[in-house]
Every structure is written in structure tokens, then in C-alpha cells.
Amino acid sequence: MVATHTSTCRACVNMCPTVVEVVDGRLVSVAGDRDNPVFRGYTCVKGRSQPYYHNHPDRLLTPRKRLPDGRYLPISSETAMDEIAERLQAIVADHGPRAVASYFGSMIITNPLTQPVQLAFMQALGSPLTFHPGTLDKPGKPIAAALLGAWQAPLQGYDRADVALLIGLNPAQSHYGVPCGAPSTWLGERLRAGMQLIVIDPRETELARRATLHLQPMPGHDVAILAAMIRVVLVEGLGDREFVDRYVGGVEELRAAVDPFTPAVVGRWAGIPADRIVEAARIFATAGRGYAAAGVGPGFADSSTLVEYLVLVLETLCGHWLRAGERVERAPTLVAAPRYVAQPSGPRPAYGFGVRMRATGLGATAAGLPTGVLADEMLLDGEDRVRALISCGGNPVSAWPDQQKVIEALDRLDLLVQIDPWMSATARLADYVLAPKMFYEVASATFPTDMMMLMPTWYGPERSYAQYTSAVAEPPAGADVIEEWEFFHGLARRMGLQLHLSAMFAAEVEPWRIDLEHKPTSEELIEVLAAGGRVPLDEVKRHPHGAVFPEPAVYVEEPDPGVTHRMQVAHQQMVRHLGEVWDREVRAAATGGGPRPDGSGFRLVHRRVQHTYNSTGVEPAPPALRHPRFNPAHLHPEDLAMLGLRDGDEIVVRSARAGIPAVVRADPTLRRGLVGMAHGFGGAPERDSEYPRIGACTGRLLDAADLADPYVGMPRIGNVEVTIIRRKRPRVR
């Protein structure tokens, strides 16, 4: 008998509302929920493909233990937790708790309890070493915000925007840069209402084709372009001068720092007309309400922190912050809303504080611990190295930069535990692989959506929105799968570690002591997280299709008396870094460059594809999709002709670090000299022969020692110089 349920997708932070059909507990179909007031039936192909994933024959339905000969033996969850707890206790006894690290990847989105319980376990263990992808994927956003200082109310953002500046992102693929909930529909509505759209991107994306103004530079010049736009705003006296005079410091220092970055000079460097840079600055500064957002492209190619800092500087010069008396349309729902006040606060610690990495000396950052150097912590000599890693919701072998170093580091561990529904590239190296439930098999609520509300304009809906879902499907019969949080609970019980769970952002609510002997239900833990929220969880549950929750309304308050802080648009370190960029650009312009007929001189840029996950769940891609199951290397047709290549020819893309196989595809939307490839595909080098089925790992081309962002130890991931080498093999269709 078919049962129909409302639920939410958790393939990404968009969390699209869905209507699912279940037969005898088995998920059989997923569609968008047309009765949802925000998404209006929108879902992406990953979400609609979930029955394929939930029921796939390769899905892990029982834990695996690696034997000395490399084979894997099925074991029970209870036995796995027994053995892992014993081994962790021995490592901690011999080397201390800091010998144990944990990592959670982007797929923790599948269950809102995973991250808080994992963090509670690490805290009880006494190890400060918890890492996540936020220090590899746009880490500059929170770091730059700390360097600038805060306006204690949100950006104007999506609310009645008259202008949007979107740099190196494509909402049609990433669900970032415009509100979630049918992003293309929202964009069309705003453009028809008169919003002007400025896009800066080396590729003519779906977004760029709808732009009022598209700047198509060579990659790696985003800092210079933003500096030139800021120069135009300052020289022409544009923006919100009253706001700047009252609340902003460092304007004259900023003026001096950007003065060399004239549109004429920057235009020559980036390969774009100077008057287009001037036009972009004038539109953004004079259109009215607006927002700017930079994607992974700019941050991958250069310092994510400096890019994001200049974006915030531009927003601040234009006064794009909510003022006293304005309603906060994006107030969080299930978690407590902060106090929003129309006043600035000064800069705060942004990087280099707290726990220090022993291999590199880098410290904690506003974005978290530096994941880019975690492999170095494993490769240390002596007693100080990381000896155990618990990896959950991610796939380090495919996702972390410098795949060769990552594999070497993981191989050296005394204990590697991977929680994964698939035998991913990382699972194939693990000592134990725990099999988790998949997301329609667990209860959830839109806590990640609320987290987006508490950040500047990145992801999330246009209005306060929330939804709760119970578990609507069951694991296959006979499966031994558990929720990720249950694994950490089981370890804590065996190791005698007391766990405490706190309500999210509700300081007045006492942390909840998790009962280790009588395991709580997921629903009970979700109630703990939601305690103190702006809207009670029970009220959210009354709306099975999800709902907008405008009440209780939240407004920006009048400033407190005597506040003298100012936001700083010329932070000393950022000004120094901007000078270094100038010197680098001058040197690069003097030496020339560009693609050559021998295949050298190309630049690798990354692109997202909507039909795959970032780093996990890629391998068993649904065969019915009208997309390649591998990640082609896209080049401009004229570059293919110069190299004597045709669409479908096999090549090797080689950097100074390594090479990977690829198949070329003609793409006239790219600038010449670029190679566009999707990241997160492929396995370890020994699986390169399976390229047509699983793709290749672009992370192998990256060098962990080549830092794009020194503040957080993030290696250069984009704008990497590569050479194209033809392979003497038949073309792939």
C-alpha cells in the first residue's frame, strides 16, 4: 500500500520541501511540495533521485571492519563501537586526547543532531581538534566579518533588492547567491521588478546570461576588480556618505590603498574593458537597496579572506545594512533570534587564536580550525601527531586538496573511522566503516536554514521559514544502520564520557545532560536544540508543508547610548595584503602568459554540477540522468582547435603536483585559456582506469603548500596552472 508523506530533502542546505511516496516502508518516489509557500514545488535532480540512493544495492547496510590483508569483514554496530572505543581509549591513554581528531563534511546536513552530538563527544573527550569543510569552502566570509567589525543588524540582502552583485557563483547549480525556494523564479521576479544584476565570472553561466552587466575576466583578478570598483566609489563620492561618516573608520587609508587600482590598469590585467568596471561600480553604488555575494570561484583562486573583506567594504560604503526600526525579515525561527541593534562594533579576533597546529603554527579562525593542514598534523614525527580520525558526512580523499598527501596521512593513522553509506574513497582506507541511516529514515527540522539566517547574505530563504519532518521511510529489512549521533552516544557510554547538549543560541537554557544508559530518542534531542527558539517547535510541527513565520516580529533597535565603535574598512593586514596583490599583478603582467599550442599555460577553474554531491554519494550516480557520470574537462572550442583536439578526446590534465585523466568537452561559455572541471569526483589514483564511470579527483592537482589564503591555511584550489596532454586512446562519447 502506498503511503504519502510531506518531508524535506537534505541533499544540501536548501532543504527543499518534498512529497514522498513509501510502499511498506520503502521510499519509491520524491517530488517537490507544491503546497509549500516558499519553494512552490521546486526541487533539484539530486533530491528527486533519492529513491535510487536509498535503495541502491551498493549502499552499506552493515558496518565493515578492515582486515590486515585489506579485505572488509561485516560486523555489527555494537561490536564496531566496542572495538573502536577500546582503541580510542588506548590512544588517549598513551598519547593524550589531542591525538584524536574528528571531521564532519557537508553531508552532516542529513541529520541536524550529528554535528552537535559529535562536538559534545569531542569536548567530553578533551580534544579541541574538530575540523570541517568551512575552512576550505568560502572561509573568508566569517574571517573578513571579524576583521571589518560588525554592524549589529543584518545586511539588506534579498529584501526588496534593487541591485545584486554576484561574483563567481551560479545559483542554478549551487543554490547560493539568491534565496532558496525556486531560485530562478525569484530572480526572474526581481528582474521584472527592476532589479539590476551585475555578474563577475570567467564563464557565461546561466546567471550571467540574465545579467544587466556581465564582466567576464580571466580568473584570479577578483581582488583587483573589487579594489577598482571601491576606488570608483570613493573618487566619485558615491555610496552612503552619511552612514560612512558616522559609523566607518579607515576611509582615507582605504582610499590610499586602492588608488593604484585604476579601472584602466585592472581592465588590462583581467582582460575586460575599463568602462565596464566603472559602470559596475556606479550601478552598485547608486541603485538603492542591494547586496553582494562571492562564491567559491574567487576564494579558490585567491585569498578568500581578502575577497570577502573587499565585498563587505563595498557593501559598507554603500550603506547596505538595516537601520533602526526596520523589520528583520530573515529572523531565525527554530533557534533564538539575537538582539539586532543599529550600531557598529569594532573588529574582533579573526585568525591565529586558540589551539595551534603543531605542524604549521596556524591557529583557530573565525571559520574554524584549518582543515587544509590537518594532513600535516597526521604526518608529524614524534608524539605530537594526530593518530586517530573520525570522519563523518564527508570524503577527505576526494574533497581535501592535495590528494597524494591526504592518502599518505590517512594511511599513517593508527585508527581511521569513516561513517558513510558508501564504500567511498575514504571508506576504502578506513579501519572501520559505520553504516548510517539515510535522511528520509530520520527525523529532522530546518536548523540549517536558521543558521543561514544568522549569517550575511549567503544561502537561505528570503523570509523566516521553518519545517519539521518525522522519519518517513524505513531502512531495508535486516539492515544494521544507525543515526550518526547514536555512534557518538555509543562511544561515550563505553568510554565513560558524559555528553551535554545545548539549545542553539539560547544561553538562558541550561545544557541538557544526555542519559548514557537510557538512550534518548531523536525527537527528544531535536526538542533540546529548539528550546528557546523564536517560534516553538510544536507550532512549527503544526505546518506539515512548512510555513513562513513572521511573528513574533523582530525589528532593529535604536543604538545604545555612548557607542563609539566603528567598522574598519582599512584593516592593517588587509591593506598590507592588498599591496602584495598589486605587486603580484604587476609582476604577472610583465611576464605575460596564456595558453600555448603545446598545451601549457592553461588555468584550471572549478565548476559545480547540480546532479552530484560535492564529495560523497557521487559514485553511484543515477544512470537515467542526462549528464556524464564523470567530470569532463571543458575548454573553449578555439583552444581545442589550437591543440588539435576534438570533443570527446581523452587527455591528461597535469599540474606541477600530479596529473589526472579527463575527457574534453567544447564549451564556448568559457574564456580561452581555461579548463573547467567539477570537483568532488573520482577515487584514489589506482582507480583512474574507472574514469568514465566515476570521474577523476581534481584535488590531486593541488599542492597543499601553495596557499591561497594564509590566514586559514587554505591551499589554492582554483586558477591553478595546468598543461593539457593528449592521450592516444579512442574518444569517449
Side-chain angles (χ1 to χ4, degrees):
M1 181 177 179
V2 178
T4 303
H5 305 276
T6 57
S7 190
T8 62
C9 181
R10 277 146 275 169
C12 75
V13 294
N14 219 29
M15 298 195 78
C16 298
T18 55
V19 175
V20 304
E21 292 183 332
V22 177
V23 175
D24 296 328
R26 184 177 185 268
L27 186 70
V28 296
S29 75
V30 175
D33 185 353
R34 296 184 181 276
D35 292 325
N36 180 273
V38 172
F39 289 76
R40 294 173 281 183
Y42 175 83
T43 58
C44 81
V45 66
K46 288 195 298 290
R48 296 190 296 273
S49 299
Q50 285 309 306
Y52 173 85
Y53 289 104
H54 275 61
N55 304 312
H56 198 281
D58 290 343
R59 177 187 170 185
L60 290 181
L61 299 178
T62 187
R64 305 282 181 90
K65 175 183 178 179
R66 190 179 189 183
L67 301 177
D69 62 4
R71 291 183 299 114
Y72 279 88
L73 175 71
I75 61 172
S76 71
S77 295
E78 294 296 321
T79 301
M81 287 187 282
D82 288 340
E83 296 184 8
I84 294 169
E86 183 177 357
R87 292 181 64 173
L88 282 174
Q89 284 179 312
I91 290 171
V92 171
D94 291 342
H95 307 286
R98 189 176 162 133
V100 180
S102 72
Y103 172 75
F104 56 82
S106 57
M107 288 312 296
I108 61 160
I109 193 71
T110 61
N111 191 328
L113 298 172
T114 303
Q115 180 182 353
V117 178
Q118 182 173 355
L119 292 173
F121 171 80
M122 293 299 290
Q123 183 177 16
L125 185 68
S127 173
L129 300 185
T130 294
F131 298 81
H132 57 79
T135 51
L136 296 173
D137 186 338
K138 302 184 287 291
K141 292 187 183 296
I143 298 174
L147 293 171
L148 180 85
W151 183 251
Q152 296 176 36
L155 288 161
Q156 292 170 347
Y158 305 139
D159 184 23
R160 294 168 289 146
D162 298 310
V163 64
L165 170 63
L166 303 181
I167 310 163
L169 55 84
N170 187 6
Q173 304 296 332
S174 65
H175 301 134
Y176 166 70
V178 301
C180 69
S184 293
T185 301
W186 180 89
L187 184 61
E189 291 171 349
R190 289 310 308 161
L191 291 173
R192 287 191 294 274
M195 185 182 84
Q196 299 191 75
L197 173 63
I198 306 164
V199 173
I200 302 176
D201 200 306
R203 181 175 164 235
E204 187 185 351
T205 61
E206 299 97 320
L207 181 73
R209 286 192 285 272
R210 304 178 72 174
T212 310
L213 180 65
H214 175 207
L215 279 64
Q216 192 174 14
M218 288 296 290
H221 300 287
D222 302 284
V223 165
I225 293 170
L226 287 166
M229 291 179 65
I230 290 169
R231 186 184 188 278
V232 172
V233 171
L234 292 174
V235 168
E236 298 188 3
L238 307 176
D240 191 331
R241 285 175 286 178
E242 180 182 354
F243 180 83
V244 171
D245 290 344
R246 186 173 181 183
Y247 298 117
V248 178
V251 175
E252 292 309 311
E253 294 88 341
L254 175 67
R255 190 188 304 273
V258 300
D259 186 62
F261 292 85
T262 66
V265 170
V266 172
R268 285 198 301 272
W269 291 343
I272 54 178
D275 60 354
R276 306 274 280 184
I277 299 175
V278 175
E279 184 182 4
R282 289 173 177 168
I283 291 173
F284 190 72
T286 62
R289 296 174 66 88
Y291 70 95
V296 294
F300 279 0
D302 209 331
S303 169
S304 175
T305 297
L306 184 54
V307 168
E308 298 293 351
Y309 183 79
L310 295 180
V311 167
L312 285 177
V313 166
L314 193 56
E315 293 260 59
T316 300
L317 294 176
C318 297
H320 288 165
W321 300 93
L322 295 185
R323 312 300 168 81
E326 288 194 82
R327 184 165 181 159
V328 179
E329 300 290 353
R330 281 167 48 93
T333 302
L334 285 165
V335 307
R339 178 177 178 244
Y340 296 112
V341 190
Q343 64 188 28
S345 59
R348 59 189 186 278
Y351 61 90
F353 57 84
V355 60
R356 293 276 177 176
M357 299 297 100
R358 291 170 176 169
T360 61
L362 289 171
T365 74
L369 293 180
T371 300
V373 302
L374 178 51
D376 295 295
E377 295 294 297
M378 303 174 192
L379 292 170
L380 279 173
D381 291 325
E383 289 296 308
D384 291 340
R385 70 181 177 92
V386 169
R387 296 170 180 271
L389 176 68
I390 301 173
S391 169
C392 177
N395 185 6
V397 171
S398 293
W400 293 0
D402 204 334
Q403 187 187 59
Q404 295 180 107
K405 176 181 278 190
V406 171
I407 292 173
E408 181 186 356
L410 295 178
D411 276 339
R412 196 173 182 223
L413 290 171
D414 297 344
L415 175 64
L416 173 58
V417 178
Q418 174 77 358
I419 306 175
D420 205 320
W422 315 101
M423 284 302 291
S424 65
T426 304
R428 291 168 184 265
L429 299 179
D431 298 290
Y432 295 88
V433 185
L434 275 296
K437 291 183 178 180
M438 297 188 77
F439 59 75
Y440 281 115
E441 298 161 359
V442 302
S444 184
T446 52
F447 292 106
T449 302
D450 277 346
M451 296 299 295
M452 298 303 108
M453 302 288 192
L454 294 169
M455 299 174 180
T457 307
W458 301 355
Y459 299 93
E462 184 182 11
R463 300 284 184 266
S464 300
Y465 167 83
Q467 186 173 2
Y468 171 87
T469 177
S470 59
V472 296
E474 299 173 4
D480 181 7
V481 292
I482 60 176
E483 296 188 42
E484 294 91 340
W485 74 264
E486 294 180 288
F487 169 73
F488 294 103
H489 181 276
L491 290 187
R493 179 171 62 82
R494 289 162 172 83
M495 298 173 69
L497 302 173
Q498 182 57 58
L499 305 182
H500 293 86
L501 188 64
S502 297
M504 300 186 75
F505 305 105
E508 72 281 2
V509 178
E510 287 291 324
W512 193 65
R513 186 176 184 273
I514 299 179
D515 192 328
L516 296 181
E517 297 304 320
H518 301 90
K519 185 171 64 178
T521 65
S522 297
E523 289 76 9
E524 289 173 326
L525 296 182
I526 289 174
E527 290 174 2
V528 174
L529 294 183
R534 184 176 66 89
V535 177
L537 180 61
D538 285 345
E539 175 62 20
V540 173
K541 288 181 177 180
R542 290 184 57 249
H543 301 270
H545 295 277
V548 173
F549 294 91
E551 302 298 334
V554 178
Y555 293 90
V556 179
E557 300 177 16
E558 295 288 341
D560 298 327
V563 173
T564 59
H565 296 298
R566 286 177 175 262
M567 293 184 285
Q568 294 298 323
V569 294
H571 189 282
Q572 183 179 18
Q573 183 58 43
M574 295 293 96
V575 169
R576 185 182 301 115
H577 197 158
L578 190 58
E580 294 169 355
V581 170
W582 170 265
D583 292 341
R584 184 197 68 200
E585 291 272 22
V586 170
R587 290 194 301 271
T591 57
R596 292 177 284 276
D598 64 357
S600 63
F602 282 84
R603 314 297 298 189
L604 175 71
V605 294
H606 286 83
R607 58 198 289 164
R608 290 191 186 274
V609 287
Q610 194 183 76
H611 65 284
T612 63
Y613 293 98
N614 281 346
S615 64
T616 185
V618 172
E619 190 169 319
L625 294 180
R626 294 189 301 272
H627 302 278
R629 304 182 76 184
F630 52 88
N631 49 338
H634 297 84
L635 286 84
H636 193 279
E638 293 181 23
D639 285 334
L640 291 183
M642 179 184 72
L643 298 173
L645 295 170
R646 293 183 296 168
D647 196 282
D649 280 348
E650 291 195 33
I651 62 170
V652 172
V653 179
R654 180 167 294 282
S655 69
R657 186 77 171 108
I660 58 173
V663 169
V664 296
R665 289 283 186 260
D667 184 355
T669 70
L670 278 172
R671 283 199 61 139
R672 289 202 61 185
L674 304 184
V675 180
M677 292 188 73
H679 59 282
F681 280 76
E686 62 268 18
R687 300 192 70 194
D688 281 357
S689 62
E690 300 178 63
Y691 171 79
R693 188 171 70 85
I694 66 173
C697 178
T698 58
R700 198 183 313 159
L701 302 174
L702 311 178
D703 185 347
D706 178 21
L707 295 184
D709 197 309
Y711 312 104
V712 71
M714 187 186 85
R716 190 174 312 283
I717 300 175
N719 193 30
V720 176
E721 184 167 353
V722 295
T723 298
I724 306 300
I725 303 170
R726 183 169 186 167
R727 300 180 74 189
K728 302 296 184 181
R729 295 183 60 175
R731 290 188 292 155
V732 173
R733 293 295 184 186

